[in-house]
Amino acid sequence: MQPASIFIMDISKSSSAELGEKLSSYLSDIEEWINKWFHGYGHIQVRHRSGDELIFLAEGYATAFVTAFFISRLWKFENNKPYFGMAFGSIDKSIEEIDIEKWIHPVVKQARLANDFLKKQKERETFHFDLDGNIHVHELVTLLNGMLKLQNALSKQQTDVQRLVCSLYLVYEKQNVIAELLERSAPTIYSHYKKGHSELVLGSYQEVSRVLASLQTKEFGDATACNPDLLEGNIRKHVKGLLNDVFNL
């Protein structure tokens, strides 16, 4: 048995024929990005399918959430945002053996249920977990979803520039670098960071990631190959190399 996580991603308001082609092309780009993010990190399965759906499976309880969070912060279609149904659990096959298009497993069903939960919302949130399990796991997921609900509310309040500053902080983690990239003063960048509640948005992301990694460690022992910090380093390195394409700076 090994720890794994999964997300099923859809896009809001993607039914326009003209926009559908652009979104489909963009999803193909993101699929390519994800494969590069995981080069040398671990085994994954990722497929762009059904026009506006992306399904992702990887080793590690936190891996799908970390990947989904970065996608959500790098996403460029503000009127057509992605949403992610997520699950994590134990699987009895290695990731590379699985045919993600045909695989039948409880974590797939749970991610689909989580995605359907979001699909039915009038004011759609970005992330939602669904899990089967004992009462303690159920309580944990309730708390995780509650934190993500608050995170989503704060993110929605961000202005365009506050959203950009928050996303650049996720990638660069340094105020002076972001000030130079945006040709603004460091105090101006800090003001956008504070007014956009970026510390709370990014802090909640880190807390959810740590909780998932801690839960995995308790169940499976230390698993360096599934360390979220290593994955973040890979993603940041790749995004910095594609900065203008990702953020249109």
Side-chain angles (χ1 to χ4, degrees), residues 5-222:
S5 55
I6 184 171
F7 71 66
I8 295 175
M9 187 198 95
D10 273 315
I11 304 172
S12 298
K13 296 181 273 188
S14 60
S15 57
S16 164
E18 177 183 353
L19 188 60
E21 188 173 336
K22 291 181 180 179
L23 289 171
S24 182
S25 176
Y26 187 50
L27 279 179
S28 294
D29 291 341
I30 288 177
E31 183 180 355
E32 184 178 343
W33 292 356
I34 291 172
N35 280 307
K36 289 180 179 178
W37 293 352
F38 282 86
H39 181 70
Y41 173 80
H43 298 291
I44 64 166
Q45 292 278 353
V46 58
R47 294 287 186 278
H48 167 207
R49 63 183 192 181
S50 303
D52 63 349
E53 182 178 285
L54 200 69
I55 184 169
F56 171 88
L57 173 71
E59 300 170 87
Y61 279 1
T63 310
F65 174 65
V66 170
T67 305
F69 188 80
F70 270 88
I71 292 172
S72 74
R73 296 307 313 188
L74 304 179
W75 189 263
K76 71 178 184 180
F77 292 94
E78 285 303 319
N79 294 323
N80 306 89
K81 293 187 176 182
Y83 56 96
F84 302 83
M86 299 180 294
F88 60 89
S90 303
I91 63 174
D92 57 5
K93 286 186 176 181
S94 60
I95 301 293
E96 61 269 32
E97 290 180 306
I98 294 168
D99 182 348
I100 196 66
E101 299 282 358
K102 301 176 182 178
W103 192 45
I104 298 173
H105 192 276
V107 294
V108 179
K109 179 181 178 181
Q110 291 152 19
R112 178 65 65 190
L113 288 171
N115 182 274
D116 289 342
F117 173 86
L118 294 172
K119 195 186 297 286
K120 294 173 184 176
Q121 289 183 323
K122 186 175 181 181
E123 296 294 330
R124 188 170 290 143
E125 298 162 21
T126 305
F127 307 107
H128 188 76
F129 282 100
D130 189 284
L131 282 185
D132 288 333
N134 60 45
I135 188 170
H136 301 296
V137 173
H138 176 73
E139 290 170 346
L140 170 65
V141 171
T142 299
L143 288 172
L144 292 177
N145 285 331
M147 179 175 286
L148 293 172
K149 183 188 291 285
L150 292 173
Q151 179 196 98
N152 182 71
L154 292 173
S155 296
K156 282 187 173 181
Q157 294 176 19
Q158 291 179 330
T159 65
D160 289 345
V161 67
Q162 289 168 355
R163 187 179 303 111
L164 176 60
V165 166
C166 183
S167 297
L168 288 171
Y169 259 97
L170 177 65
V171 176
Y172 284 93
E173 304 178 287
K174 294 181 179 179
Q175 178 178 310
N176 291 338
V177 174
I178 297 168
E180 184 177 345
L181 286 170
L182 298 182
E183 298 180 341
R184 308 281 182 90
S185 69
T188 297
I189 295 301
Y190 183 72
S191 176
H192 289 310
Y193 179 81
K194 294 297 288 185
K195 290 180 179 178
H197 303 291
S198 296
E199 187 173 11
L200 292 173
V201 171
L202 299 179
S204 63
Y205 154 70
Q206 291 288 350
E207 288 300 317
V208 171
S209 176
R210 289 190 191 104
V211 166
L212 294 174
S214 176
L215 184 62
Q216 175 188 315
T217 299
K218 289 178 180 177
E219 294 187 19
F220 293 91
D222 188 26

